[in-house]
């Protein structure tokens, strides 16, 4: 222990102590005495030291969050947070263009990522305490927390706008997703900040070798590989290397590809609803309390109590509400299409310096983390402030957004044909997500089973997905709105499309 002239507040966190124990620790002029009764004890004292730990006990930093309250985070997570690569997330809006519609939606990927890291630890720790036979180690919990914290490191400007609209147009043949960039950025973060040694020597993580490699485990949780279907033939995803089959359920904590029920959604449902002013009926704390791992045909799944089936549908109803009212709002999409058009016009004009002094365009930067770490929502400000003639077209589009001269939505109709289409669903396309979820009974906690939708409620939806066609007019100031709308309505009528009528003020408005 090193003496320090500065005094700071920290928390001593200990777990798994079932008997009374007393420890005393001294550093500098200060000392702290800790007594334990039961499983978990948190004490707060003022203490002079740079770092401190004994056994499984470590200094935790407390973050005050409007969604989860006071969150205690492991010091390694704090080390990761205090890096340029993670701080970059402060400048990436969680809901992209929705901020231009809902003034409260100013939150960023930064606080969402911290929330996911915290919830990942809560769920992993709950399973560890309630089911000691699962043999979940402290390293397992820490790895799951890191994966939750770093799962969104790879997002580009305005989150899904970058990969969903911009990259899909600059590179239509590629299937690039932000999860890949998240793994690349995580690797860059670890090496660029000398954390590999810290992880191994200070916190006991295995950072070398092929088997039970904790770094590989973290990266596998961030970018989950899925089974693919090619010509009606299912190609199985490769087996993971980070953890054995007996601990496969750990992969479902941060990103559950089977059911879509994971801590990533727990945080963004609660956080997005809070900032949008929506109501959310789902209680993630209740899910964590009742979560239990059961074996099904040799594979372990995280299951819920049977009585929670109806409540789980609230997860996906909340998701649908957020997407329908905010993410896929007609004005939100108008703004995002305009930002995408501005980025396309600026793509080859703005160059970002990356590794070895090489210059990359906005679309190329994702392939070089030294360049990508500099690419955030602030690129729009760079375009707006520019006086370059080459950025004139992009600058004019941004100016139109700021003066509310948006692309005009001529109309929207159900079914898919052409123009701009959006899909709104419960997260699993037209599949009932709960149909893939396992439950257990109080009297038989180790036996998993599925619950048919009809046994949950007769009021649940019959369909879980719908696709809507929208037509946007880029220059509505030229006049002729009524003629354009009449043409759209006539086309829909002739092609058996159902036109959705909405007030024009809603399309050009400020909030709805």
């Amino acid at each position: 222990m090193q003496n320090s002239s500065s005094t700071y507040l920290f928390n001593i966190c200990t777990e798994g102590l079932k008997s009374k124990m007393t420890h005393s620790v001294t550093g500098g002029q200060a000392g702290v005495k800790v007594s334990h009764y039961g499983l978990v004890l948190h004490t707060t004292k003022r203490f002079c030291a740079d770092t401190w730990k004994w056994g499984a006990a470590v200094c935790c930093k407390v973050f005050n969050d409007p969604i989860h309250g006071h969150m205690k985070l492991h010091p390694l997570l704090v080390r990761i947070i205090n890096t340029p690569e993670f701080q970059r997330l402060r400048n990436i809006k969680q809901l992209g263009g929705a901020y231009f519609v809902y003034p409260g939606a100013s939150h960023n990927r930064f606080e969402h990522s911290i929330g996911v890291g915290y919830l990942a630890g809560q769920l992993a720790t709950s399973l560890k305490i309630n089911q000691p036979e699962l043999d979940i180690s402290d390293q397992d919990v820490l790895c799951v927390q890191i994966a939750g914290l770093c799962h969104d490191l790879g997002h580009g400007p305005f989150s899904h706008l970058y990969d969903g609209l911009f990259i899909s147009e600059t590179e239509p043949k590629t299937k690039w997703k932000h999860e890949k960039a998240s793994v690349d950025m995580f690797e860059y973060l670890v090496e660029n900040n000398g954390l590999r040694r810290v992880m191994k020597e200070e916190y006991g993580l295995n950072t070398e070798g092929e088997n039970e490699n904790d770094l590989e485990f973290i990266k596998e949780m961030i970018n989950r590989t899925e089974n693919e279907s090619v010509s009606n033939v299912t190609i199985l995803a490769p087996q993971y290397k980070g953890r054995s089959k007996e601990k496969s359920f750990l992969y479902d904590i941060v990103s559950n590809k089977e059911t879509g029920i994971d801590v990533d959604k727990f945080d963004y449902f609660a956080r997005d609803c809070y900032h949008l002013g929506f109501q959310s009926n789902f209680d993630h704390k209740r899910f964590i309390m009742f979560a239990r791992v059961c074996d099904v045909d040799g594979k372990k799944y995280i299951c819920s109590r049977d009585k929670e089936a109806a409540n789980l549908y609230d997860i996906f109803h909340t998701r649908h509400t957020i997407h329908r009212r905010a993410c896929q709002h007609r004005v939100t999409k108008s703004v995002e299409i305009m930002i995408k058009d501005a980025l396309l016009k600026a793509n080859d004009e703005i160059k970002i310096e990356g590794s070895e002094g090489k210059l990359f365009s906005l679309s190329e930067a994702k392939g070089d983390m030294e360049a990508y770490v500099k690419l955030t929502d602030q690129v729009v400000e760079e375009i707006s402030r520019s006086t370059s003639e080459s950025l004139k077209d992009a600058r004019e589009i941004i100016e139109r957004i700021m003066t509310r001269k948006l692309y005009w939505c001529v109309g929207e109709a159900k079914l898919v044909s052409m123009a701009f289409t959006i899909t709104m669903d419960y997260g699993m396309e037209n599949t009932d997500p709960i149909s893939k979820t396992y439950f257990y009974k109080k009297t038989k906690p180790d036996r998993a089973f599925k619950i048919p939708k009809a046994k949950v409620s007769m009021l649940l939806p019959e369909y879980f997905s719908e696709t809507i066609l929208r037509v946007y007019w880029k220059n509505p100031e030229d006049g002729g709105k009524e003629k354009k709308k009449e043409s759209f309505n006539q086309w829909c009528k002739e092609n058996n499309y159902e036109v959705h009528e909405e007030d024009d003020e809603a399309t050009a408005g400020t909030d709805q």
Side-chain angles (χ1 to χ4, degrees), residues 355-374:
S355 58
E356 300 179 354
K358 295 180 181 178
L359 299 178
F360 298 87
S361 67
L362 299 181
S363 60
E364 295 170 339
K366 67 184 186 306
D368 184 278
M369 293 303 105
E370 189 172 332
Y372 197 49
V373 76
K374 304 171 186 176

Side-chain angles (χ1 to χ4, degrees), residues 54-66:
W54 88 66
V58 293
C59 298
C60 297
K61 189 163 186 176
V62 178
F63 290 72
N64 189 8
D65 181 65

Side-chain angles (χ1 to χ4, degrees), residues 379-387 391 394-395 398-399 402:
V379 66
V380 167
E381 297 296 325
E382 183 177 347
I383 294 172
S384 182
R385 291 193 301 265
S386 171
T387 58
L391 288 174
R395 187 165 58 248
I398 300 301
E399 289 174 355
M402 300 308 172

Side-chain angles (χ1 to χ4, degrees), residues 334-345:
S334 175
V335 169
E336 291 189 341
I337 294 171
M338 294 180 76
I339 294 175
K340 178 263 298 182
D341 285 349
L343 295 181
L344 287 174
K345 292 183 180 297

Side-chain angles (χ1 to χ4, degrees), residues 324 328-330 409-415 420 422 424 466 468-472 485 488-489 492 497-502 507:
R324 177 176 58 84
Q328 306 297 348
H329 187 286
R330 294 206 291 178
C409 183
V410 177
E412 68 177 43
K414 293 183 179 180
L415 297 181
F420 185 80
I422 63 171
M424 292 185 286
E466 65 176 354
I468 296 175
L469 173 145
R470 285 181 183 162
V471 175
Y472 285 88
K485 185 175 284 290
F488 174 77
N489 290 342
C492 290
Y497 276 64
E498 180 183 352
V499 178
H500 175 65
E501 297 292 344
E502 188 170 336
T507 306

